[in-house]
Amino acid sequence: MENSIVKSQAYGKDCVRVVRVVRHQDGWQEIADYWVCCLLSGEQFETSYTKGDNKLVVATDSQKNTVYYLAKTLPAEKVMVPEVFASEVASFMVKKYAHVTTCHVKVTTKPWERMKFDNKGHAHSFYREGKETRWTEAYATKTNPPSAEQFTVKVNSGFYDLEVLKTTNSSFVDFWRDELTTLPDMPDRLLSTKVLCQWKFVPQTIEALQAIDYNAAYNGAKRNTLDAFANDPRAWVHASVQSTLYIMADRILNDFAAVDDVYYALPNIHYFPFDLSKFGLKNTQTDAEVYMPIANPSGLITATISRPSKGKF
């Protein structure tokens, strides 16, 4: 006899590739290029796992079709911004299907850049270079299922694979030492990382969430990440990757009231001066000019930075 229970479940369609082109009357065109994952969950799906009963299962192919249907029928402004499109798809699912309690939609995009000639953007031609990947996810959850009259929407966003490097103005000194320590103080070093950054928006109504300027938040998070890494006057020579991370996140929270907290994962991609002493050459500390990149192992620094809770002094 089967005694096990379904502790949690969700199912859906992943890697739905959808491209939406907006064609303006003056010939100017825009493009959005997405990978979409749509997952449905609810108590009434449990029998599909435990009893093999598919009567309430919305086929994953139907979920795929819904993504394309909404990409075509929604107004362009609700498709071209990934946060808005994700929240629209999630909301559509929980409103349409009474037995769906939560819909989780994740949208990932590697944006196309508009070609420029003589400092003018081309009307309909784009290119894509190696750059970071932008993503967002929306959760629509009914507050009184199966009724679809009230539901909450949460939106998280971020980017990953933003590669940065600076050749000076980074240090790592005065760290813990014991019999297992071999790393010397590094008063100046190359610093490189591949940034993963994500931020949560303050939970609000669907109408309020869709009024947020998500592109401004994305561009601002990227700008603050790069500027803190290269220029922030509070820590021109950063004491560690940890302090760099905190400064980046703190700037985002100060600039965007709609953001609730910020998470970073920063792998410390090491560049060590190559030992050339056997050839009679100095290549350490201030003499270092030739480096050996070390992909693995790498340091990994993570943290979630949030606003102080109310009442905390």
Side-chain angles (χ1 to χ4, degrees), residues 73-85:
T73 59
L74 285 171
E77 62 270 17
K78 292 192 174 184
V79 180
M80 305 307 285
V81 180
E83 286 86 351
V84 177
F85 185 59

Side-chain angles (χ1 to χ4, degrees), residues 49-105:
Y49 293 84
T50 60
K51 305 296 183 183
D53 183 356
N54 294 331
K55 291 185 180 63
L56 294 176
V57 175
V58 180
T60 64
D61 190 67
S62 302
Q63 296 179 49
K64 174 206 71 179
N65 293 341
T66 301
V67 171
Y68 290 107
Y69 172 81
L70 293 175
K72 176 65 176 180
T73 59
L74 285 171
E77 62 270 17
K78 292 192 174 184
V79 180
M80 305 307 285
V81 180
E83 286 86 351
V84 177
F85 185 59
S87 62
E88 284 286 342
V89 175
S91 300
F92 179 91
M93 291 294 193
V94 297
K95 287 189 287 187
K96 182 172 178 60
Y97 300 108
H99 55 292
V100 172
T101 301
T102 298
C103 178
H104 171 204
V105 177

Side-chain angles (χ1 to χ4, degrees), residues 197-217:
C197 176
Q198 64 187 51
W199 51 94
K200 294 181 180 179
F201 291 95
V202 178
Q204 300 181 62
T205 64
I206 182 65
E207 293 79 15
L209 283 170
Q210 291 194 352
I212 294 173
D213 190 339
Y214 291 106
N215 288 333

